[in-house]
Structure formats: structure tokens, C-alpha cells
């Protein structure tokens, strides 16, 4: 299996914890790099915020003793300087950092001239431009070794995940940058230990280049992200499950069966696009009637009726209600835009 697996604790909590998890992960040949957070971005003040520089010293010493390779999150230029000083040259940008171009720029300044490998988590919000922007800034700063990490997005409704996967956002990144390796972080995506294996499998099906997983020797005692951390033994089971999961490339004989179905999808999509265009044309005619009658474009009661009617129809046809509502909202927003611009 030529996948990259990065695993390790959310945070370094003590020298003993780091040694214990490092020894367990060193025994797993699939794990290429050990992640270990030293500065932790916490949502609320007062929580454990990481051990800082002393932890980097332990990482340097264990690297020298055991020949392991660590990576660490950086959010400030001084984090970059300290990591490089301690010989840690695989670094990651957290979701909150990728969101902020000022912070990314500052990190680029600190990284200039280094040969660091940068892992870039997706931004907190589902904006693929911010993700691409951070990667491009690093590329322009001369960072030649870049990897994207998909950890999901913070949404009002996360549908049971800590951060909604929204796989399509990562697929869009891949469409624009097919050369860029992409890892899945099922830990921050799922937020719970039992979601790691199914999310890892989903990432495998989408041909991700690997995983970044939070692994703790005693997850229940973890000082950060306890519900989502798994033991090294569980990681071994996740990897074993992964190795047996059918991979897309093994499905070559499915191509023949897929072909006619894909043509059907093409036809339906063409019909959908044509219908949407017709719908927008009617919207424009409605706009002129409303304008002449001095009626506002947005009609709350009519919109409520449309949603109820279409949801009723969708449910009867076996379509997911949330999906249908999202789609209707998108179409309605475009219709309002078209009418306002007319
Ligand atoms: C982490 O990896 O521990 C972390 C804080 O991740 P994210 O930036 O994805 O929230
Ligand atoms: Mn974490």
C-alpha cells in the first residue's frame, strides 16, 4: 500500500506520553510521520493550550534516539522558527490559520528559504479559494513540498460530524490541482473514534493519498480531543480494514457497465441545465411584472409555498429533504439575483 499515514496525539501532554505513543507508532511500518501538536488552538480560553518549546526538545531527542519523523502545527512565525531550530521540518497549518491570509503570509515570510514540507488543512469554512490561496502563497514563497489535508468544514448543521466532510470541496481542489497530494483527517472530520474507520474508507474510495489520524495511548485521558483519538491498536485495525477495502483502480471491468449509465446521467444533466435556463427566463418575465406593479422581488409567502410543495413531491419520490431544500435555496437565490439585476 503506497499511502501516506501520519498519526499521533492531538497534543504532546508529557514526555512519557510522547515516548509511549512514539514507540507504538514506530512499530507500525505504515506510519511515516508522527503528528504531535505543541501549540493548540482552543475555542475557549482556560483549556490546555499545549506545552510549547519543551515538547519540541523531547521530539528532537526521540527523533535522534529512535529515528522517527515528527510533524507539528504552526500558527505564528515564532512557531516556525522554533520547529526548524529543533529539526522539525514537516509542519502543518491548522484550519483556523488557512482561513486567514494575513497569518498565512506571515508564516510564508518565516518559511522563506527553508526546505520544510507543509501540510495545509482546509479552512474552517467551505471556501475552496481560501484553501487554494494558502497553498499558492506557500508555493510562491518557495515551499516545494506541499500536501493538502481535508479535515472537514464547520457548518451550522454538520449532519452528525464534528466538521462536515463536504467531499466535493476537496474534489474541486483536486480538479484545479491534480498534482497535489491530499490526505484525509478523519479525526477532526468525525469528532468521534467510531467514525474514523468509515471516513478512512470513504477517503480511500475517493483515491486520497493517505490519512492524518489522531492516536493517543490512552484516549479517555487525553487533554484535547479525547472523543476522537484512537489507540495505536485501533489504528492498526483501521489500516487493516483499509488495505482490504476495494480500491477504485481494481474496478476496471466495471467500466463497461458504467458507460451506458454515464450516458444516461449526461442526458439528465443536460435536461436539468436546460430546465434551469428556462426557469431563469421565466424569472426575468416575473421581474418585469413585479417592477411594473411595484411589488418587491422577494415574496415570503410564495417562497414558503414553493418549498412546501417541492418538499412534498421530493419526499414522495424518495429524495432526501435536506438535499432538496439546499438545492431549492440555491435556485431561489439565483432567481432573486436575476430578478434584482434585470
Ligand atoms: C489538530 O490537528 O489538532 C487541529 C487543531 O486541527 P484543525 O486545524 O483541523 O482543527
Ligand atoms: Mn486535535
Amino acid at each position: 500500500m503506497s499511502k501516506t499515514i501520519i498519526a499521533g496525539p492531538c497534543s504532546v501532554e508529557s514526555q512519557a506520553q510522547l515516548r509511549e505513543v512514539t514507540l507504538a507508532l514506530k512499530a507500525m511500518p505504515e506510519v511515516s510521520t508522527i503528528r504531535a501538536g505543541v501549540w493548540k488552538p482552543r475555542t475557549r480560553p482556560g483549556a490546555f493550550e499545549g506545552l510549547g518549546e519543551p515538547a519540541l526538545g523531547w521530539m528532537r531527542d526521540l527523533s535522534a534516539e529512535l529515528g522517527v519523523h515528527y510533524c507539528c502545527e504552526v500558527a505564528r512565525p515564532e512557531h516556525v522558527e522554533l520547529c526548524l531550530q529543533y529539526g522539525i521540518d514537516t509542519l502543518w497549518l491548522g484550519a483556523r490559520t488557512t482561513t486567514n491570509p494575513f497569518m498565512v503570509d506571515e508564516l510564508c515570510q518565516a518559511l522563506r528559504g527553508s526546505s520544510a514540507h507543509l501540510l495545509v488543512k482546509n479552512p474552517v469554512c467551505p471556501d475552496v479559494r481560501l484553501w487554494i490561496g494558502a497553498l499558492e502563497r506557500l508555493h510562491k514563497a518557495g515551499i516545494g513540498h506541499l500536501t493538502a489535508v481535508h479535515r472537514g468544514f464547520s457548518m451550522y448543521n454538520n449532519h452528525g460530524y464534528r466538521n462536515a466532510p463536504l467531499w466535493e470541496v476537496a474534489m474541486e481542489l483536486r480538479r484545479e490541482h491534480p498534482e497535489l497530494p491530499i490526505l484525509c483527517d478523519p479525526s477532526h472530520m468525525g469528532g468521534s473514534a467510531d467514525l474514523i474507520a468509515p471516513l478512512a474508507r470513504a477517503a480511500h474510495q475517493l483515491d486520497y493519498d493517505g490519512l492524518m489520524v489522531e492516536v493517543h495511548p490512552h484516549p479517555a485521558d487525553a487533554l484535547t480531543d479525547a472523543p476522537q483519538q484512537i489507540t495505536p491498536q485501533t489504528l492498526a485495525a483501521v489500516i487493516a480494514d483499509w488495505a482490504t477495502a476495494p480500491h477504485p483502480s481494481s474496478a476496471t471491468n466495471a467500466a463497461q457497465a458504467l458507460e451506458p449509465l454515464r450516458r444516461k446521467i449526461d442526458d439528465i444533466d443536460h435536461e436539468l441545465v436546460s430546465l434551469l435556463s428556462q426557469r431563469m427566463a421565466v424569472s426575468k418575465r416575473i421581474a418585469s411584472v413585479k417592477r411594473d406593479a411595484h411589488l418587491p422581488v422577494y415574496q415570503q409567502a410564495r417562497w414558503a409555498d414553493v418549498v412546501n410543495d417541492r418538499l412534498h413531491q421530493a419526499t414522495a419520490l424518495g429524495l432526501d429533504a435536506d438535499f432538496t431544500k439546499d438545492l431549492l435555496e440555491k435556485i431561489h437565490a439565483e432567481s432573486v439575483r436575476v430578478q434584482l439585476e434585470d
Side-chain angles (χ1 to χ4, degrees), residues 137-193:
R137 278 173 209 277
L138 287 158
H139 181 70
K140 279 194 164 172
I143 302 298
H145 199 170
L146 290 168
T147 298
V149 181
H150 179 202
R151 51 76 86 187
F153 302 91
S154 184
M155 309 284 286
Y156 181 65
N157 180 356
N158 280 339
H159 299 284
Y161 299 102
R162 179 176 179 192
N163 290 290
L166 304 183
W167 300 102
E168 63 278 18
V169 180
M171 293 304 104
E172 180 57 17
L173 172 71
R174 187 193 270 167
R175 197 182 63 78
E176 283 217 20
H177 285 283
E179 76 293 351
L180 192 71
I182 178 158
L183 307 183
C184 173
D185 170 349
S187 308
H188 292 88
M189 207 178 254
S192 93

Side-chain angles (χ1 to χ4, degrees), residues 290-329:
K290 284 179 182 164
R291 197 173 36 244
D292 292 348
H294 303 289
L295 285 169
V297 162
Y298 185 76
Q299 301 274 330
Q300 175 93 44
R302 163 72 181 153
W303 172 232
D305 286 347
V306 167
V307 172
N308 283 337
D309 174 75
R310 308 314 185 251
L311 283 181
H312 198 259
Q313 181 193 8
T315 316
L317 292 171
L319 276 175
D320 179 80
D322 284 343
F323 161 74
T324 308
K325 187 140 183 290
D326 285 352
L327 194 61
L328 284 170
E329 276 166 357

Side-chain angles (χ1 to χ4, degrees), residues 19-71:
R19 173 174 274 279
E20 187 177 356
V21 76
T22 298
L23 285 171
L25 293 171
K26 182 183 154 57
M28 298 171 68
E30 300 91 346
V31 176
S32 56
T33 303
I34 300 176
R35 58 150 289 150
V38 161
W39 300 280
K40 299 308 298 175
R42 306 314 302 276
T43 303
R44 300 184 67 179
F48 175 70
E49 291 190 324
L51 297 176
E53 192 172 351
L56 296 179
W58 303 331
M59 287 155 80
R60 179 198 48 203
D61 294 349
L62 281 168
S63 279
E65 182 190 335
L66 302 168
V68 292
H69 186 229
Y70 288 103
C71 67

Side-chain angles (χ1 to χ4, degrees), residues 9-11 35 37 40-41 73 92-97 121-122 151 162-163 185 188 212 214 225 228:
C10 179
S11 311
R35 58 150 289 150
K40 299 308 298 175
E73 174 172 355
W92 84 81
L93 263 56
R96 294 153 193 81
T97 305
K121 297 242 198 158
N122 65 252
R151 51 76 86 187
R162 179 176 179 192
N163 290 290
D185 170 349
H188 292 88
M212 181 193 247
E214 286 194 340
D225 287 347
Q228 71 194 31

Side-chain angles (χ1 to χ4, degrees), residues 39-155:
W39 300 280
K40 299 308 298 175
R42 306 314 302 276
T43 303
R44 300 184 67 179
F48 175 70
E49 291 190 324
L51 297 176
E53 192 172 351
L56 296 179
W58 303 331
M59 287 155 80
R60 179 198 48 203
D61 294 349
L62 281 168
S63 279
E65 182 190 335
L66 302 168
V68 292
H69 186 229
Y70 288 103
C71 67
C72 183
E73 174 172 355
V74 289
R76 294 202 180 122
E78 57 268 33
H79 298 164
V80 172
E81 283 148 23
L82 277 167
C83 281
L84 296 178
Q85 208 174 300
Y86 280 89
I88 293 151
D89 60 358
T90 298
L91 309 170
W92 84 81
L93 263 56
R96 294 153 193 81
T97 305
T98 309
T99 301
N100 186 334
F102 285 127
M103 289 167 79
V104 176
D105 256 342
E106 285 189 9
L107 295 172
C108 285
Q109 299 306 328
L111 283 159
R112 225 166 254 283
S114 84
S115 57
H117 173 190
L118 261 290
L119 302 151
V120 182
K121 297 242 198 158
N122 65 252
V124 175
C125 55
D127 182 344
V128 75
R129 312 305 316 163
L130 277 174
W131 201 1
I132 292 172
L135 287 155
E136 284 174 351
R137 278 173 209 277
L138 287 158
H139 181 70
K140 279 194 164 172
I143 302 298
H145 199 170
L146 290 168
T147 298
V149 181
H150 179 202
R151 51 76 86 187
F153 302 91
S154 184
M155 309 284 286

